[in-house]
Amino acid sequence: MAAYATASDLINQYDETTLNDLCVDDGVPETSLDTNSKVTWALDRATGEINAAVLVGQLYTVETLLALSGESEVYLKSLCCELAMAYLILRRPEKYGSEATKEFRQSIKDTLDMFRRGERVFDVAANKEAGLPTIDGPRAVDYQRLNLLPNRTQNFYPHTATRLPLGRGN
């Protein structure tokens, strides 16, 4: 499976010089970060972590995430790039400081936790159309026509309309 973001997306979001510094171990700058194994690894790992977070709630499938468009697609790519950048920074913690790395990673973890809990969702038509569950069943009038014991002893049991779900009392 392809990563949700590409090296080009990563370069659009972060400084290319910084990315080169994080990805190159021999001091010779990469001519193209698209083929750098460390960038590819970081983007794949970020995609895996996003999948682990959003698929647990069963609101999405991988196919749904790959089919995102518009702002949701940009947000997914941005999230993937942020995670990839965090992994790349973890390659050089002495350079950026462990506190900055921890804060960056915690911010992303909080975002993924919100997806796990359903507090954040992508703009997917099926999720928006799902809405609230509908309540089906007899209304209070239907129960009164049955002439059950609670209706014959009106002062002893609560009124039928107060014992039914909201909206079914009429």
Side-chain angles (χ1 to χ4, degrees), residues 71-114:
E71 294 87 5
S72 289
E73 179 185 19
V74 172
Y75 184 61
L76 178 62
K77 285 182 178 192
S78 175
L79 188 60
C80 187
C81 289
E82 286 177 21
L83 277 168
M85 186 64 166
Y87 297 137
L88 292 173
I89 288 174
L90 287 172
R91 294 189 74 239
R92 303 259 197 301
E94 71 285 348
K95 184 169 188 167
Y96 294 95
S98 60
E99 285 303 311
T101 305
K102 281 181 189 177
E103 289 175 19
F104 194 53
R105 186 78 178 108
Q106 186 62 41
S107 167
I108 295 166
K109 182 187 176 305
D110 292 343
T111 301
L112 290 176
D113 284 343
M114 285 188 249

Side-chain angles (χ1 to χ4, degrees), residues 10-11 14-31 33 36 38-39 85 87-96:
L10 194 61
I11 292 168
Y14 297 102
D15 180 49
E16 190 171 1
T17 307
T18 304
L19 289 169
N20 239 319
D21 182 46
L22 292 169
C23 297
V24 176
D25 294 331
D26 58 8
V28 178
E30 272 293 332
T31 55
L33 288 175
N36 185 284
K38 292 165 184 71
V39 169
M85 186 64 166
Y87 297 137
L88 292 173
I89 288 174
L90 287 172
R91 294 189 74 239
R92 303 259 197 301
E94 71 285 348
K95 184 169 188 167
Y96 294 95

Side-chain angles (χ1 to χ4, degrees), residues 111-127:
T111 301
L112 290 176
D113 284 343
M114 285 188 249
F115 275 106
R116 272 187 200 97
R117 293 187 302 262
E119 294 172 5
R120 280 198 179 165
V121 293
F122 290 109
D123 187 13
V124 176
N127 291 352

Side-chain angles (χ1 to χ4, degrees), residues 21-55:
D21 182 46
L22 292 169
C23 297
V24 176
D25 294 331
D26 58 8
V28 178
E30 272 293 332
T31 55
S32 173
L33 288 175
D34 293 332
T35 58
N36 185 284
S37 62
K38 292 165 184 71
V39 169
T40 305
W41 172 84
L43 290 169
D44 286 345
R45 182 174 174 191
T47 297
E49 189 161 348
I50 291 170
N51 285 343
V54 300
L55 297 179

